[in-house]
Amino acid sequence: MEKKTVAEAVQYQEEHFTKRVLFQKGDSLVFVLNFMPGQQLPVHKHPGAEVYLLALKGKGSIQVNGADYAFVEGDILHIAGDESFAYANTSDQPASLHVVLSKTPSPMYAKEI
């Protein structure tokens, strides 16, 4: 067993959004993305993986396959690996997303930023 707290992964930077890895086991990855107001995650895909996003804190907008949706604290979303998506913190408060990537396509996805 390995236990961590999500709070240790909630770390913001003014310069850019942050990614803090909590677990990397086999082909699965669990991490937290942290966004200051106005920061965003560019449109991308995770081929061969399944993506689960939980809005831990704050609110923003998520784009999936070109369509925009509100994504607020407590919302949870599944995105198939072949779907394109992006996230933007559209509020005036920090926002954090808890992310589970199963079937991680390559070690590059586990890199902290």
Side-chain angles (χ1 to χ4, degrees):
M1 185 192 93
E2 188 175 354
K3 179 183 174 187
K4 296 186 178 184
T5 64
V6 172
E8 68 190 61
V10 177
Q11 301 172 10
Y12 303 98
Q13 289 185 7
E14 292 291 334
E15 303 81 31
H16 55 80
F17 75 89
T18 64
K19 175 181 177 181
R20 298 294 179 253
V21 175
L22 290 168
F23 299 104
Q24 181 180 7
K25 306 291 179 191
D27 59 0
S28 295
L29 181 65
V30 178
F31 57 92
V32 176
L33 295 173
N34 303 288
F35 303 86
M36 292 297 289
Q39 292 176 343
Q40 56 190 357
L41 180 67
V43 176
H44 67 290
K45 296 180 180 184
H46 291 282
E50 300 296 327
V51 183
Y52 302 90
L53 300 163
L54 168 65
L56 285 175
K57 180 177 179 180
K59 58 185 174 181
S61 174
I62 196 153
Q63 181 188 91
V64 180
N65 296 327
D68 289 319
Y69 305 92
F71 199 57
V72 301
E73 192 169 316
D75 286 353
I76 190 165
L77 182 67
H78 166 257
I79 299 171
D82 61 345
E83 294 183 288
S84 62
F85 70 99
Y87 173 82
N89 179 351
T90 56
S91 75
D92 60 357
Q93 298 295 315
S96 294
L97 306 179
H98 178 268
V99 182
V100 176
L101 239 154
S102 64
K103 300 178 188 168
T104 307
S106 82
M108 175 190 85
Y109 289 97
K111 184 179 177 186
E112 289 193 356
I113 52 176

